[in-house]
């Protein structure tokens, strides 16, 4: 089946930029998503990108998509302690069921 | 309500007992998904409902798991004869599937602990 891979942990200093990477295998991916999960909560959609786009920016968030390499990244500028959470990458192609990665735990320290 | 709600938020049960988990989707959302999230793991798809179509049950891990949804309203996930490996957070999501993005909106989950 299709697969989505993410590194499990990322630690950054407050005020620095964070970059969370994701790779996927589905060549027919149409939509790619980033979700944030805070402790004890469900997943919250942060942003998404269509597969025909290279980049999408939304305030402190920048999503970059390299469709050739099937690589997606999420950059968080000026990372704050409130950004500490688990970030999930997900893709949806021909199937109506998205495939999620295992999540990257972002730890922001002073 | 404004978002997806799930109940109970926490459930502790003894091995062998049956449990029922409830999901209230966003009003008007035709699609509803159940996922299982084990500690430190990603989301494992369980079952998908779309309107009045037959549900996609391909993710259910065993015949002890079942789910129902009446129309476009509440869904219940039932686990019979619970086992310790069923301990996880069970997440429900709904989407409108009107337009292309088909964004899923998640509930806060039910944390199930099987002793």
């Amino acid at each position: 089946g299709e697969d989505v891979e993410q590194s499990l942990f990322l630690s950054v200093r407050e005020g620095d930029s964070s970059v969370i990477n994701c790779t996927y295998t589905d060549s027919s991916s149409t939509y790619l998503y980033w979700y944030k999960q805070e402790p004890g909560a469900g997943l919250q959609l942060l942003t998404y990108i269509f597969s025909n786009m290279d980049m999408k920016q939304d305030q402190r968030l920048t999503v970059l998509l390299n469709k050739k390499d099937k690589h997606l990244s999420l950059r968080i500028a000026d990372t704050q302690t409130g950004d500490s959470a688990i970030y999930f990458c997900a893709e949806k192609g021909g199937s109506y069921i998205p495939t999620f990665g295992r999540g990257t735990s972002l730890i922001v320290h002073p | 309500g404004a978002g997806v709600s799930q109940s109970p938020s926490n459930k502790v049960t003894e091995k062998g007992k049956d449990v029922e988990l409830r999901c209230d989707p966003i009003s008007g959302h035709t699609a509803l998904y159940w996922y299982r999230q084990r500690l430190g793991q990603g989301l494992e798809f369980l079952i998908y409902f779309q309107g009045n179509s037959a549900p996609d049950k391909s993710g259910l891990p065993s015949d002890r798991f079942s789910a129902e949804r009446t129309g476009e309203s509440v869904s219940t996930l039932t686990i019979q004869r619970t086992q310790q490996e069923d301990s996880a957070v069970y997440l429900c999501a709904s989407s409108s599937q009107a337009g292309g993005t088909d964004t899923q909106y998640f509930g806060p989950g039910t944390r199930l602990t099987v002793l």
Side-chain angles (χ1 to χ4, degrees):
Chain A
E2 305 304 340
D3 196 21
V4 175
E5 296 284 341
Q6 300 177 239
S7 54
L8 295 183
F9 297 99
L10 177 64
S11 177
V12 300
R13 188 176 302 174
E14 189 174 17
D16 287 352
S17 292
S18 307
V19 179
I20 303 172
N21 294 300
C22 168
T23 58
Y24 59 96
T25 59
D26 186 357
S27 57
S28 66
S29 288
T30 307
Y31 301 100
L32 297 116
Y33 309 85
W34 283 105
Y35 285 86
K36 176 183 181 182
Q37 185 180 34
E38 298 187 33
L43 276 68
Q44 171 197 355
L45 179 70
L46 283 179
T47 187
Y48 63 88
I49 189 169
F50 297 114
S51 60
N52 62 359
M53 298 169 63
D54 298 324
M55 185 182 86
K56 181 178 181 181
Q57 188 153 3
D58 183 2
Q59 299 182 337
R60 293 191 297 121
L61 305 180
T62 303
V63 179
L64 294 177
L65 174 60
N66 181 327
K67 194 173 180 181
K68 174 176 172 289
D69 293 339
K70 300 190 184 67
H71 182 270
L72 183 74
S73 69
L74 173 70
R75 179 177 181 269
I76 306 172
D78 187 26
T79 314
Q80 302 298 307
T81 54
D83 295 323
S84 294
I86 302 175
Y87 291 81
F88 289 90
C89 169
E91 64 85 20
K92 191 167 80 73
S95 169
Y96 41 73
I97 301 166
T99 301
F100 287 82
R102 292 176 60 184
T104 299
S105 290
L106 174 64
I107 301 164
V108 182
H109 54 89
Chain B
V4 178
S5 61
Q6 292 186 246
S7 61
S9 54
N10 282 284
K11 176 72 177 178
V12 180
T13 190
E14 293 179 347
K15 179 181 171 182
K17 295 285 179 68
D18 297 351
V19 296
E20 192 172 276
L21 313 180
R22 177 186 169 109
C23 172
D24 280 89
I26 292 173
S27 177
H29 279 191
T30 58
L32 187 146
Y33 305 75
W34 282 99
Y35 295 91
R36 178 168 68 178
Q37 185 181 26
R38 288 189 165 126
L39 187 64
Q41 303 294 313
L43 273 66
E44 177 186 0
F45 165 74
L46 296 177
I47 188 168
Y48 163 74
F49 296 91
Q50 170 54 45
N52 293 316
S53 302
D56 179 342
K57 304 179 182 181
S58 61
L60 294 179
S62 77
D63 59 7
R64 296 187 295 105
F65 287 72
S66 63
E68 291 183 351
R69 187 185 187 196
T70 304
E72 296 179 359
S73 62
V74 170
S75 174
T76 55
L77 175 70
T78 301
I79 309 173
Q80 295 178 308
R81 304 181 303 281
T82 51
Q83 304 295 312
Q84 288 184 333
E85 66 259 26
D86 299 334
S87 295
V89 175
Y90 289 83
L91 292 166
C92 172
S94 70
S95 71
S96 67
Q97 294 205 325
T101 61
D102 187 21
T103 300
Q104 295 187 4
Y105 295 85
F106 282 81
T110 294
R111 181 175 297 278
L112 175 66
T113 303
V114 182
L115 301 177

